[in-house]
Amino acid sequence: MKRMLVGAAVALTTLAAAGGAEAKGCIKGAVVGGIAGHYAGHHGLVGAAAGCAIGRHRANARDRQMAPQARPVSAQ
């Protein structure tokens, strides 16, 4: 139990120190990946890192998909 609390404290400290980074999709992906990694063999940190990367990728893909629709068509 002590090990889990120390790990959570380190994770929260790291997130707090990261500050103003663009975290679209990363936080949600890291939480889901961390939980999945924990239950799939106690690899919570690896799962969190992978979840963050996947969440960022999906958020960027969604932004790219929405960008052409948001731009107004200019009259020529």
Side-chain angles (χ1 to χ4, degrees), residues 2-56:
K2 182 179 177 183
R3 203 170 166 186
M4 186 172 72
L5 290 174
V6 170
V10 169
L12 288 174
T13 304
T14 304
L15 285 174
E22 291 258 347
K24 262 188 187 173
C26 183
I27 302 295
K28 187 177 181 182
V31 169
V32 173
I35 292 170
H38 172 73
Y39 285 109
H42 299 287
H43 298 291
L45 292 177
V46 175
C52 178
I54 291 169
R56 258 324 264 154

Side-chain angles (χ1 to χ4, degrees), residues 39-74:
Y39 285 109
H42 299 287
H43 298 291
L45 292 177
V46 175
C52 178
I54 291 169
R56 258 324 264 154
H57 173 71
R58 288 188 176 181
N60 287 337
R62 191 174 334 121
D63 286 346
R64 281 192 300 270
Q65 184 180 17
M66 297 301 273
Q69 296 171 359
R71 291 186 197 145
V73 177
S74 60

